[in-house]
Amino acid sequence: EVQLVESGGGLVQPGGSLRLSCAASGFTFSSYDMHWVRQATGKGLEWVSAIGTAGDTYYPGSVKGRFTISRENAKNSLYLQMNSLRAGDTAVYYCARGLYGTGMDVWGQGTTVTVSS
Amino acid sequence: EIVLTQSPATLSLSPGERATLSCRASQSVSSYLAWYQQKPGQAPRLLIYDASNRATGIPARFSGSGSGTDFTLTISSLEPEDFAVYYCQQRSNWPLITFGQGTRLEIK
């Protein structure tokens, strides 16, 4: 079964750091682009980062310089290192598999990050 | 940044009716557009990719159309399980990806 399972969420103070993990199974992880997408409570979806099969990384302006996406193909794992966290980063964070076309076709169940003092 | 505007914000229909959801891009995204369905407490589910291709396992009552700046998701005959929030997403200006703000499809 194709599956993504996120972990690492929790409560962190403003300015703190957190590292999210996403364990992939059931497919050839190294062959796919991977993404992180977040959703604040009651709000829409926001793309947070992507990593290509060659390790190339991409971010929107809202997290660039604070978040770092990485992958470890030998462990079928995706990571998101989040530094200098702000209240506005509070959300459910999903990892998702990138389709070769436009779209993300496999999603994890999400992990919740709360930034609060 | 390409902005996607979805309309209407909320659509109230009854089971069996036809649903038409719109997504308009601030500039052309060619056919680089996807549609997702999200139910409360669940992750999004890919319905349509590259504007008009149904994802694996998606029922035939879901269809996507459009190119350039105007796109439509049509549900031909609503089933009770179709009432949810729907999002469009573009990747035309890869690597920047944006989502629309969503359309809530509710039971009338």
Side-chain angles (χ1 to χ4, degrees):
Chain A
E1 180 191 3
V2 174
Q3 195 173 11
L4 297 170
V5 179
E6 302 95 336
S7 60
L11 174 64
V12 61
Q13 291 189 338
S17 298
L18 209 56
R19 189 195 196 206
L20 306 183
S21 299
C22 172
S25 59
F27 65 99
T28 305
F29 177 72
S30 59
S31 297
Y32 289 85
D33 296 342
M34 297 295 297
H35 301 262
W36 287 98
V37 176
R38 69 185 180 185
Q39 186 172 37
T41 302
K43 303 297 185 183
L45 302 170
E46 180 186 10
W47 172 71
V48 171
S49 61
I51 186 166
T53 57
D56 42 318
T57 60
Y58 309 98
Y59 309 91
S62 57
V63 306
K64 197 169 187 177
R66 300 188 300 122
F67 290 11
T68 302
I69 188 173
S70 62
R71 65 192 303 162
E72 192 168 356
N73 290 336
K75 292 186 175 182
N76 292 329
S77 292
L78 178 73
Y79 306 102
L80 184 68
Q81 177 67 43
M82 304 185 294
N83 299 329
S84 303
L85 283 162
R86 309 164 179 167
D89 297 318
T90 295
V92 174
Y93 284 72
Y94 297 100
C95 65
R97 185 176 81 170
L99 202 59
Y100 294 125
T102 301
M104 303 172 200
D105 66 336
V106 180
W107 294 66
Q109 85 289 351
T111 187
T112 300
V113 173
T114 303
V115 183
S116 175
S117 54
Chain B
E1 175 183 323
I2 297 177
V3 177
L4 298 178
T5 302
Q6 293 187 240
S7 61
T10 303
L11 183 59
S12 300
L13 294 170
S14 301
E17 291 192 292
R18 181 183 186 91
T20 303
L21 287 67
S22 173
C23 177
R24 177 164 290 178
S26 58
Q27 63 190 77
S28 176
V29 298
S30 185
S31 294
Y32 297 121
L33 192 104
W35 290 94
Y36 300 85
Q37 176 193 69
Q38 188 179 32
K39 298 179 180 179
Q42 296 185 15
R45 173 194 183 195
L46 178 67
L47 299 175
I48 301 290
Y49 66 94
D50 291 344
S52 61
N53 297 290
R54 269 191 305 278
T56 301
I58 301 303
R61 64 181 182 274
F62 290 91
S63 64
S65 63
S67 65
T69 60
D70 290 301
F71 299 86
T72 300
L73 174 69
T74 301
I75 311 171
S76 59
S77 180
L78 286 165
E79 297 287 342
E81 62 267 28
D82 297 337
F83 292 92
V85 179
Y86 292 83
Y87 294 95
C88 56
Q89 172 244 314
Q90 69 83 26
R91 63 140 206 160
S92 173
N93 59 337
W94 174 259
L96 295 181
I97 290 173
T98 52
F99 289 88
Q101 83 281 11
T103 289
R104 180 178 305 277
L105 178 56
E106 64 176 26
I107 300 177
K108 188 173 183 180

